[in-house]
Amino acid sequence: MILNSTLIDTIAFDADDTLWRNEDIFIHAQDAFIHLLLAYHDESYIRSHLGEVQVKNLEHFGYGIKGFTLSMIETAIELTEGRITGNEIHEIIQLAKCMLASPVELLPNIKNVLEQLKGQYRLLVITKGDLLDQESKLARSGIADYFDAIEIVSEKTSTVYQQIFQRHQIPVERFLMIGNSLKSDILPVLDLGAQAIHVPYHSTWEHEQVTDDILLRYHNLHTFSDISQLMDWLKKASLDNRRAV
């Protein structure tokens, strides 16, 4: 039973860089990978080529550490013209294992906000990435029990969100999505007529960035500097809803 009177009764959270830190792990691994190949090419070329390979491989391997690792190996083979050694490829695999074993570090105020929301709203996680990795992070995070449902998807588009709404019988006008990626978490939800709140992380993968001309089309975009602002926003939404009734 939903206890509060606001129009919103279902709140979904992205996982990586919304609930816990993630991009930093990729940045550190990428830096180590670049250092490994500096004998073959300069840093900027290695970085740009790896980015191109990653994007190209998304349709084959999807998002996550395993796809990233395969892209690093492919990049290493291409940039060394096949001269990469078995030991160097082993170093890349070890990088991936370290990434997978990284501790799950919750972002500030996440647990406190979830404690306040639990029982008042239906709570979901909607995240993309490797199934086993995301399940592992949720299990190790200590916050899995706050959520009523978990959705791990290969991509986040308006169609995918619509399917989630149908699967969980969520009216679009009663849904709120919270995430750090404008491209994946926010704009597809706004396109459906639902509400979304952008909570930026300090760094965003280039593939997830959105140009200013696209953002100008969205006049109902909310941005918070910290997730703790959510509670006041929900209280105001509830008051506005009561006045409108």
Side-chain angles (χ1 to χ4, degrees):
M1 178 179 177
I2 303 303
L3 300 178
N4 78 314
S5 59
T6 182
L7 186 63
I8 295 165
D9 61 24
T10 301
I11 301 176
F13 290 81
D14 170 53
D16 293 337
D17 299 321
T18 298
L19 295 175
W20 51 66
R21 300 187 189 281
N22 181 68
E23 182 64 14
D24 298 344
I25 296 169
F26 280 81
I27 290 172
H28 292 153
Q30 181 174 264
D31 289 344
F33 171 74
I34 289 170
H35 185 264
L36 182 67
L37 294 188
L38 282 178
Y40 300 96
H41 288 282
D42 65 76
E43 177 182 344
S44 61
Y45 185 72
I46 299 168
R47 191 180 300 276
S48 65
H49 192 79
L50 174 59
E52 291 170 6
V53 172
Q54 277 185 270
V55 172
K56 180 186 68 176
N57 282 340
L58 285 176
E59 63 177 303
H60 304 295
F61 308 132
Y63 295 88
I65 292 171
K66 293 174 187 176
F68 177 62
T69 304
L70 290 169
S71 292
M72 285 194 291
I73 292 172
E74 181 177 346
T75 299
I77 292 170
E78 289 180 352
L79 293 189
T80 65
E81 298 178 337
R83 289 174 290 162
I84 189 80
T85 67
N87 284 336
E88 288 169 326
I89 288 178
H90 186 258
E91 284 188 53
I92 296 172
I93 293 171
Q94 289 304 113
L95 273 178
K97 289 181 178 179
C98 287
M99 293 174 76
L100 289 167
S102 295
V104 178
E105 182 184 351
L106 294 181
L107 289 171
N109 300 313
I110 284 294
K111 193 167 185 180
N112 180 50
V113 166
L114 291 175
E115 286 173 351
Q116 295 180 71
L117 294 175
K118 182 64 176 175
Q120 307 298 314
Y121 300 84
R122 177 165 47 166
L123 300 179
L124 280 69
V125 171
I126 302 177
T127 186
K128 63 186 179 185
D130 179 78
L131 178 63
L132 290 177
D133 185 28
Q134 295 296 62
E135 287 181 336
S136 171
K137 285 189 284 190
L138 275 163
R140 291 182 286 129
S141 69
I143 58 173
D145 289 343
Y146 288 103
F147 297 99
D148 301 292
I150 309 294
E151 290 280 351
I152 301 172
V153 298
S154 58
E155 190 58 273
K156 287 181 179 176
T157 63
S158 293
T159 300
V160 170
Y161 282 108
Q162 203 162 35
Q163 291 168 348
I164 292 171
F165 294 166
Q166 292 170 352
R167 190 156 50 244
H168 295 279
Q169 299 183 332
I170 303 170
V172 65
E173 68 275 7
R174 302 181 76 87
F175 178 82
L176 173 67
M177 180 70 193
I178 298 169
N180 70 292
S181 170
L182 287 165
K183 181 178 179 181
S184 296
D185 304 320
I186 307 303
L187 303 190
V189 172
L190 294 179
D191 286 338
L192 290 173
Q195 297 196 64
I197 293 173
H198 181 219
V199 186
Y201 192 61
H202 67 78
S203 61
T204 303
W205 183 28
E206 185 177 355
H207 181 67
E208 291 291 328
Q209 294 177 8
V210 176
T211 59
D212 289 340
D213 60 315
I214 291 176
L215 290 180
L216 287 174
R217 306 174 199 165
Y218 296 88
H219 304 293
N220 54 341
L221 176 61
H222 302 286
T223 300
F224 292 169
S225 59
D226 189 275
I227 193 62
S228 61
Q229 296 173 256
L230 176 63
M231 303 314 300
D232 286 339
W233 187 88
L234 288 169
K235 288 175 185 176
K236 183 179 183 303
S238 180
L239 281 172
D240 290 345
N241 185 52
R242 288 197 199 103
R243 288 169 184 155
V245 173

